[in-house]
Amino acid sequence: MNFSEVFKLSGLLSKFSPDGKYLASCVQYRLVVRDVNTLQILQLYTCLDQIQHIEWSADSLFILCAMYKRGLVQVWSLEQPDWHCKIDEGSAGLVASCWSPDGRHILNTTEFHLRITVWSLCTKSVSYIKYPKACQQGITFTRDGRYMALAERRDCRDYISIFVCSDWQLLRHFETDTQDLVGIEWAPNGCVLAVWDTCLEYKILLYSLDGRLLSTYSAYEWSLGVKSVTWSPSSQFLAIGSYDGKVRILNHVTWKMITEFGHPATVSNPKIVVYKEAEKSPKLGLGALPFPPPRAAARPFSTTETKYEIASLPVSLQTLKPVTDRANPRIGIGMLAFSPDNYFLATRNGDFHVLSLCWHLSGDSLALLSKDHFCLCFLETEEGAGTA
Amino acid sequence: MGDWMTVTDPGLSSESKNLSQYTSETKMSPSSLYSHQVLCSSIPLSKNVHSFFSAFCTEENIEQSISYLDQELTTFGFPSLYEESEGKEEKRELNIVAVLNCMNELLVLQRKNLLAQENVETQNLKLGSDMDHLQSCYAKLKEQLETSRREMIGLQERDRQLQCKNRNLHQLLKNEKDEVQKLQNIIASRATQYNHDMKRKEREYNKLKERLHQLVMNKKDKKIAMDILNYVGRADGKRGSWRTGKTEARNEDEMYKILLNDYEYRQKQILMENAELKKVLQQMKKEMISLLSPQKQKPRERADDSTGAGISDVEDDAGELNRESIWDLSCETVREQLTNSIRKQWRILKSHVEKLDNQVSKVHLEGFHDEDVISRQDHEQETEKLELEIQQCKEMIKTQQQLLQQQLATACDDDTTSLLRDCYLLEEKERLKEEWSLFKEQKKNFERERRSFTEAAIRLGLERKAFEEERASWLKQQFLNMTTFDHQNSENVKLFSAFSGSSDRDNLTVHSRPRQKKPHSVSNGSQVCTSKLTKSLPASPSTSDFCQTRSCVSEHSLSNVLNITPEETKPHQVGRECLNQTWSLASRPGSQEGGCSGCSLACTNSHVDKDDLP
């Protein structure tokens, strides 16, 4: 594997353009746009303050840079480097900023989540959406960019508003049967909205596009509930990862659980291949990478070469028991990712220091990132392999 | 009386002893005691028998004893021993009859008493044994009672303990349940508390938000603005539209369209899946039916209801299939029919497989003797062998294909190609060439021979001609000579003999040897001729024939000579015949004729002079 030279970066702000031609990165208050193939600097923009958030527009023509401290958003154009746009929220403050799917509207969330201001780059119009919910995933756009679902909270009740993105017209507004909504997500086919409740209550609600409740699902009571949710790319399955260390998969026809996957501490199924990273100079604690299902262990910092050997079963995954008396404990399924061809599901359970999971578009390989390590897994797919 | 005493006494005494033994152990009824005492007292002891008798009645007190006895007997009810007398003063006479009767009565009584005694004794014994038996039973029962009492006490004790335990456990369970309930209540209460607090805090927060919102809105801060160089066109290039009721309706429509499209798509998928699954099920059903139908011969003997149902099911299904294919509906009844029929078939198949399994297990247990059943090991071995063979054949085919490919696909120079062209047939070609050359040689040889033969034939023809001419001239001479025969008879003879043989030796041999050898002798002579002939011709068998004719000629001539008949015609005829024969000979292949004529000429020429006839 070849690596390029190291570039300066601040705030972990570095994003590829959606069309894959450019790479934008931030250094303090400067925005640097490079060409992907040559890594030559194409554009250099200077913002007014330290950038906290950058985002490409969907058509890769514009980049927004948000500066939360100053309450400013600056938009830069790639086609016309002279073009500039500055949005100042002033005393309203800025907490979050994002593009609309058509790439011509910017949604700014003001401080205290008071409102969402929809700024248009095409017209002079401004729209306000009052009292959006301050939760993990309160805004979600459909894949085709037609509709936007927004979680709201009024009078201690949760509501969902569905907007038409073309003219920001409110299509539907309905109450949800949740205690404290934590996240919403559209299915890739844009017809079903998954809504899940706080971790104190295991509850997942499924609403149709026109606001009808299709189904609810609750696996158990009282214990800590849902931690992460993801749809399969074909919209056939909904994977729910919970604090009890299990992934439950619902099917789109009956919205009932079809299977659940456990994450036992000892791997003893003879069908599972466990790849163990062995170091030349053994240091404290060796990591293990079983496949499937893949999950990564903490790897100690080492500059020596490592090799992978197949460990003999049974393999016990060394874990440190995390403290459970604090809020939001580091147990349970924290990350879920379906492969793009619907064959595999990658999960991260427990305290493993995998910060990001990313599938290749072909569904053959998986990239894992931890704080110090980077791991590429290649999968050999047999004919007719199901989800692992 | 004395005998009676001695006889009965020992028995009596023993009985009395036994009785005494019994009475010491058992309780006896007073009456029996009394009778016993009476008996004891009444039965005299053996030792004191005589003394007792003598003690009671002596010679002195006869009268007294009689009167005493009389008193006793009368008290007992017996008639008096005395005779009836009128006066009191007179001595009463002993009524012997009465005495005898009394004695008899006493004896009878005695016997009766003895019998009674025996009965009583036996009864006594019986009662005694009964008593023993009852006592033992009683003892046993007492023991049993004791043990059962003890058991009962033990069981009661255990029961009590278990009940105690049970109570304790119930108590514990109740406690646990109470705890659980308590905890659940706690949780519920805490949850409500939490929610309540949350709500309170939210309300506060909302108030704050409202306040802040008002502040923010009121300020109308000019700072909240967007500073944009120039407005960017829309992504899709169209103009923006006003938000009206129409647009709202349009949005609604679009939303519903999207939903409907999604549902339709999903329904299509599901229908397709359904159709596929139905197809698969029907196929499965058909296959199952076909699998089971050859087997139905066997179970038909048992007359199972299931197979009967199966057969009828087949017919039904056949009809159903047609109907189903025509309709192809997913209505309830059709689906049910399909699933039911498949279940039936599956059951039949399962039972069949189980039967086969049993059979197999039986075979394994009993050992492999059945011809129809192949043991699994053999089967596996055979399959392995077959697989190996198949692999080997495949490899062979592959290698052959490769070789062929190489042959066809090798790119080489023109020379090599020309050389390699037909390289397989090279050997054959050379062989053919050799054979061809051989053949040609043979042909040449044949040609040569034929030419030589033709030349020989031509020569023969010429010689024949010459011979003909000579013959003609000779005939003329002969004829001329015939006219002057007498003088030249000898000459004829000589001539004839000349014909016959050349040398004396030959003539002699002619005469001496039998006629059969004439060809030989003639052949001797002819050998000389033939010696000449060989120069011109290769040995031919025809010369022997010629010689034969010559011998005939010589014979005749000799006979003529011997006979010395002046018959001229004969030899002449003979000669002519011979000559005719020779002519007939001459009619044969020309070469021979030529030879013969040559020979004859030679003969005539050489043997004219010689002649020695005996």
Side-chain angles (χ1 to χ4, degrees):
Chain A
M1 188 164 260
N2 289 330
F3 294 95
S4 71
E5 61 188 271
V6 177
F7 297 115
K8 266 197 187 163
L9 193 71
S10 66
L12 299 174
L13 292 170
S14 167
K15 289 223 174 94
F16 282 102
S17 68
D19 60 359
K21 290 190 197 162
Y22 311 105
L23 173 67
S25 55
C26 292
V27 185
Q28 295 289 326
Y29 56 95
R30 283 210 183 88
L31 179 70
V32 182
V33 177
R34 290 174 206 271
D35 178 56
V36 153
N37 297 317
T38 60
L39 292 177
Q40 297 264 348
I41 296 177
L42 295 172
Q43 305 283 354
L44 187 65
Y45 305 103
T46 312
C47 294
L48 296 169
D49 195 16
Q50 190 162 31
I51 305 171
Q52 265 95 40
H53 178 69
I54 61 167
E55 194 172 325
W56 283 90
S57 71
D59 50 6
S60 310
L61 293 175
F62 299 100
I63 308 174
L64 77 78
C65 307
M67 292 141 270
Y68 297 146
K69 282 185 203 156
R70 283 275 297 272
L72 278 173
V73 174
Q74 275 184 290
V75 188
W76 304 103
S77 162
L78 275 175
E79 290 179 311
Q80 300 175 313
D82 322 324
W83 189 87
H84 63 91
C85 171
K86 186 176 76 169
I87 300 168
D88 192 349
E89 286 289 341
S91 50
L94 191 63
V95 165
S97 179
C98 67
W99 280 102
S100 72
D102 60 355
R104 296 290 178 271
H105 295 84
I106 293 175
L107 287 89
N108 284 344
T109 312
T110 58
E111 213 161 356
F112 305 119
H113 282 81
L114 273 180
R115 63 164 189 250
I116 290 180
T117 325
V118 185
W119 298 93
S120 167
L121 294 177
C122 316
T123 66
K124 283 190 184 180
S125 62
V126 179
S127 308
Y128 295 103
I129 303 171
K130 223 173 153 189
Y131 302 148
K133 181 143 191 202
C135 57
Q136 206 178 49
Q137 202 172 320
I139 303 179
T140 175
F141 293 97
T142 57
R143 206 168 271 197
D144 53 3
R146 273 171 181 267
Y147 301 105
M148 176 184 93
L150 179 74
E152 299 173 15
R153 192 157 173 104
R154 288 168 206 200
D155 299 327
C156 312
R157 271 183 257 194
D158 290 316
Y159 294 88
I160 288 191
S161 300
I162 298 181
F163 292 93
V164 182
C165 290
S166 52
D167 54 5
W168 301 109
Q169 181 218 330
L170 177 66
L171 192 64
R172 285 284 187 278
H173 180 82
F174 51 91
E175 186 184 342
T176 63
D177 192 16
T178 53
Q179 285 286 336
D180 186 10
L181 198 151
V182 149
I184 55 174
E185 189 164 341
W186 283 107
N189 64 2
C191 295
V192 182
L193 183 71
V195 173
W196 60 94
D197 209 342
T198 175
C199 61
L200 289 171
E201 183 148 348
Y202 194 129
K203 203 178 207 178
I204 292 216
L205 298 139
L206 291 141
Y207 289 93
S208 159
L209 174 60
D210 56 348
R212 289 174 297 126
L213 174 65
L214 294 172
S215 173
T216 56
Y217 175 73
S218 171
Y220 51 81
E221 278 193 303
W222 302 123
S223 297
L224 289 177
V226 175
K227 192 165 183 183
S228 56
V229 173
T230 184
W231 285 95
S232 78
S234 61
S235 313
Q236 284 175 317
F237 305 112
L238 180 66
I240 306 166
S242 49
Y243 278 93
D244 64 347
K246 288 199 181 148
V247 179
R248 289 177 181 83
I249 304 213
L250 309 184
N251 76 87
H252 73 304
V253 178
T254 59
W255 300 114
K256 298 238 183 323
M257 183 182 89
I258 53 172
T259 181
E260 71 176 25
F261 298 118
H263 292 76
T266 315
V267 175
S268 55
N269 187 345
K271 284 189 190 173
I272 298 178
V273 180
V274 178
Y275 290 91
K276 195 161 178 178
E277 190 180 6
E279 301 195 358
K280 298 286 173 72
S281 60
K283 291 199 176 176
L284 41 96
L286 286 171
L289 186 70
F291 155 73
R295 67 183 86 137
R299 282 184 186 72
F301 176 74
S302 113
T303 53
T304 57
E305 281 188 9
T306 58
K307 61 179 167 87
Y308 283 93
E309 57 191 26
I310 296 175
S312 59
L313 298 165
V315 172
S316 75
L317 302 166
Q318 299 159 334
T319 54
L320 294 164
K321 278 253 168 173
V323 275
T324 47
D325 55 355
R326 278 167 44 184
N328 298 323
R330 289 168 74 93
I331 57 172
I333 313 294
M335 247 185 224
L336 289 168
F338 274 99
S339 71
D341 54 4
N342 279 311
Y343 270 141
F344 295 108
L345 175 66
T347 63
R348 184 199 77 187
N349 178 35
D351 205 10
F352 291 108
H353 294 299
V354 171
L355 296 173
S356 83
L357 270 177
C358 189
W359 283 96
H360 191 266
L361 275 176
S362 64
D364 288 346
S365 51
L366 181 67
L368 302 168
L369 263 179
S370 78
K371 205 176 78 171
D372 304 312
H373 295 81
F374 171 68
C375 181
L376 266 182
C377 310
F378 287 92
L379 312 177
E380 278 178 26
T381 51
E382 296 169 4
E383 291 226 27
T387 54
Chain B
M1 283 229 238
D3 293 339
W4 177 75
M5 279 188 195
T6 52
V7 165
T8 54
D9 268 345
L12 284 169
S13 63
S14 64
E15 279 181 18
S16 68
K17 276 181 193 165
N18 288 339
L19 278 169
S20 64
Q21 281 176 10
Y22 277 114
T23 48
S24 68
E25 292 179 9
T26 60
K27 295 175 193 172
M28 293 173 75
S29 58
S31 60
S32 60
L33 262 172
Y34 175 71
S35 61
H36 168 69
Q37 279 170 0
V38 164
L39 281 167
C40 279
S41 57
S42 60
I43 297 164
L45 295 169
S46 57
K47 291 180 188 173
N48 302 333
V49 164
H50 293 289
S51 60
F52 178 76
F53 280 140
S54 60
F56 176 67
C57 182
T58 53
E59 289 187 34
E60 288 106 38
N61 56 352
I62 290 175
E63 295 287 319
Q64 284 163 353
S65 51
I66 291 172
S67 63
Y68 174 72
L69 281 170
D70 180 50
Q71 275 177 0
E72 292 286 331
L73 288 166
T74 47
T75 53
F76 277 124
F78 287 100
S80 164
L81 291 178
Y82 288 118
E83 270 181 271
E84 282 178 359
S85 64
E86 293 135 14
K88 285 191 195 167
E89 299 162 336
E90 277 182 78
K91 191 166 105 188
R92 278 191 278 186
E93 293 272 342
L94 193 67
N95 193 354
I96 292 174
V97 170
V99 169
L100 289 171
N101 283 336
C102 287
M103 276 176 69
N104 189 38
E105 288 291 328
L106 283 168
L107 280 170
V108 165
L109 261 175
Q110 176 80 348
R111 267 192 223 115
K112 268 196 222 169
N113 287 337
L114 279 172
L115 270 171
Q117 194 184 2
E118 274 180 29
N119 288 340
V120 165
E121 279 171 6
T122 51
Q123 215 179 30
N124 213 2
L125 282 169
K126 269 191 221 166
L127 287 171
S129 64
D130 282 351
M131 193 72 76
D132 289 334
H133 177 66
L134 285 170
Q135 276 189 347
S136 63
C137 284
Y138 172 72
K140 266 190 237 163
L141 286 170
K142 235 172 131 179
E143 278 176 35
Q144 272 183 11
L145 185 67
E146 273 302 313
T147 49
S148 55
R149 266 210 205 117
R150 264 185 252 130
E151 262 186 57
M152 203 178 76
I153 291 166
L155 286 169
Q156 273 179 346
E157 187 61 41
R158 245 201 19 218
D159 187 38
R160 209 168 11 96
Q161 284 176 359
L162 287 171
Q163 275 191 348
C164 276
K165 246 198 237 170
N166 198 17
R167 256 181 271 129
N168 291 343
L169 286 170
H170 271 296
Q171 197 63 41
L172 279 171
L173 183 65
K174 237 203 303 181
N175 293 346
E176 291 299 320
K177 274 193 186 160
D178 290 345
E179 246 190 80
V180 165
Q181 195 62 41
K182 250 197 279 174
L183 285 170
Q184 276 184 342
N185 291 340
I186 288 169
I187 290 170
S189 65
R190 284 177 74 171
T192 50
Q193 181 68 34
Y194 174 83
N195 287 339
H196 176 73
D197 283 338
M198 278 285 288
K199 282 189 181 135
R200 208 158 30 91
K201 287 206 176 107
E202 253 202 84
R203 276 187 220 114
E204 264 189 58
Y205 178 55
N206 281 343
K207 280 183 206 156
L208 273 169
K209 272 209 297 195
E210 287 284 356
R211 186 85 181 97
L212 196 58
H213 195 250
Q214 280 169 17
L215 284 168
V216 164
M217 291 314 285
N218 285 341
K219 253 198 171 173
K220 293 284 182 210
D221 207 337
K222 282 291 175 188
K223 283 212 287 185
I224 300 170
M226 182 164 79
D227 174 25
I228 191 165
L229 182 68
N230 54 288
Y231 286 106
V232 188
R234 278 168 64 100
D236 48 2
K238 290 188 210 160
R239 284 169 172 266
S241 55
W242 294 104
R243 207 191 286 184
T244 57
K246 231 195 205 173
T247 55
E248 286 182 21
R250 199 165 26 91
N251 285 332
E252 288 268 325
D253 285 341
E254 274 182 34
M255 176 191 81
Y256 281 122
K257 262 190 227 166
I258 287 168
L259 274 175
L260 282 171
N261 282 340
D262 181 59
Y263 280 130
E264 273 173 18
Y265 173 75
R266 263 196 260 163
Q267 202 200 13
K268 251 192 257 174
Q269 299 281 329
I270 286 169
L271 275 174
M272 266 171 29
E273 227 186 287
N274 259 1
E276 270 183 45
L277 287 170
K278 257 199 234 172
K279 261 191 249 168
V280 166
L281 280 174
Q282 280 182 357
Q283 206 182 13
M284 253 174 63
K285 196 177 69 173
K286 274 186 220 164
E287 278 177 21
M288 276 200 274
I289 288 167
S290 66
L291 261 180
L292 291 167
S293 50
Q295 308 297 333
K296 274 175 189 164
Q297 300 301 324
K298 288 180 196 170
R300 208 171 278 200
E301 296 166 8
R302 303 174 200 168
D304 260 331
D305 288 342
S306 58
T307 51
I311 294 164
S312 64
D313 194 41
V314 171
E315 292 162 8
D316 287 340
D317 285 345
E320 266 178 36
L321 281 168
N322 296 332
R323 270 181 274 150
E324 278 175 23
S325 62
I326 289 167
W327 291 349
D328 197 16
L329 292 170
S330 60
C331 58
E332 194 71 31
T333 47
V334 169
R335 243 186 299 139
E336 273 180 27
Q337 276 172 357
L338 180 62
T339 47
N340 286 340
S341 59
I342 283 194
R343 278 205 200 106
K344 253 190 260 175
Q345 294 299 322
W346 180 249
R347 254 182 270 134
I348 295 166
L349 188 67
K350 210 167 68 165
S351 63
H352 183 64
V353 168
E354 277 166 11
K355 275 182 229 158
L356 285 173
D357 271 340
N358 290 338
Q359 259 185 17
V360 166
S361 62
K362 270 187 214 162
V363 163
H364 275 297
L365 290 169
E366 291 166 11
F368 171 69
H369 290 299
D370 198 357
E371 284 180 2
D372 296 332
V373 176
I374 307 169
S375 72
R376 192 186 265 177
Q377 283 179 348
D378 290 353
H379 184 71
E380 280 176 359
Q381 279 174 9
E382 279 224 42
T383 49
E384 278 176 15
K385 270 189 236 164
L386 287 168
E387 276 173 11
L388 270 172
E389 269 188 55
I390 287 169
Q391 262 193 350
Q392 284 171 359
C393 292
K394 275 191 194 165
E395 281 169 18
M396 259 182 26
I397 289 169
K398 266 191 217 165
T399 48
Q400 280 180 359
Q401 264 183 354
Q402 278 177 3
L403 286 171
L404 262 175
Q405 288 275 332
Q406 280 177 11
Q407 295 292 339
L408 295 168
T410 47
C412 7
D413 316 329
D414 291 332
D415 298 336
T416 45
T417 44
S418 59
L419 278 173
L420 286 170
R421 221 182 291 151
D422 306 326
C423 58
Y424 288 115
L425 308 166
L426 204 63
E427 270 186 43
E428 285 191 28
K429 266 192 190 169
E430 291 197 356
R431 233 186 299 131
L432 278 171
K433 272 185 201 164
E434 284 174 12
E435 282 180 8
W436 190 252
S437 54
L438 262 173
F439 173 67
K440 275 186 192 162
E441 275 183 35
Q442 279 180 1
K443 206 170 156 186
K444 272 185 219 164
N445 289 335
F446 282 131
E447 285 285 315
R448 248 186 281 127
E449 277 183 18
R450 199 192 291 170
R451 253 182 274 129
S452 58
F453 281 137
T454 47
E455 281 169 17
I458 291 163
R459 248 185 282 122
L460 272 173
L462 290 170
E463 283 178 359
R464 198 176 92 193
K465 248 191 200 173
F467 170 69
E468 284 286 311
E469 284 167 13
E470 276 200 35
R471 192 182 81 100
S473 60
W474 183 79
L475 277 172
K476 257 194 233 169
Q477 267 188 357
Q478 278 287 61
F479 190 64
L480 290 169
N481 288 337
M482 281 299 158
T483 51
T484 57
F485 180 74
D486 292 325
H487 301 284
Q488 291 171 357
N489 202 7
S490 57
E491 287 176 27
N492 286 340
V493 170
K494 284 176 192 174
L495 278 168
F496 275 115
S497 65
F499 276 107
S500 66
S502 57
S503 63
D504 297 345
R505 181 171 48 86
D506 293 336
N507 288 331
L508 280 166
T509 53
V510 163
H511 288 297
S512 59
R513 288 176 195 171
R515 299 251 170 126
Q516 289 123 10
K517 291 193 183 180
K518 285 247 169 97
H520 184 66
S521 61
V522 172
S523 68
N524 286 334
S526 65
Q527 275 178 5
V528 178
C529 311
T530 57
S531 62
K532 290 186 184 172
L533 277 169
T534 51
K535 287 176 194 174
S536 62
L537 281 172
S540 59
S542 54
T543 50
S544 57
D545 293 333
F546 170 74
C547 297
Q548 262 185 338
T549 54
R550 285 290 154 225
S551 66
C552 300
V553 168
S554 67
E555 277 181 301
H556 285 288
S557 64
L558 282 166
S559 63
N560 285 331
V561 167
L562 287 162
N563 294 330
I564 311 168
T565 54
E567 287 180 357
E568 300 161 0
T569 56
K570 266 198 187 174
H572 196 67
Q573 282 177 352
V574 167
R576 273 200 191 138
E577 282 170 8
C578 292
L579 287 165
N580 285 333
Q581 282 177 3
T582 58
W583 286 126
S584 69
L585 270 175
S587 68
R588 285 194 201 174
S591 58
Q592 295 162 352
E593 282 173 329
C596 290
S597 56
C599 164
S600 62
L601 284 169
C603 285
T604 49
N605 290 331
S606 60
H607 303 125
V608 163
D609 295 332
K610 297 174 184 177
D611 185 28
D612 275 331
L613 286 170

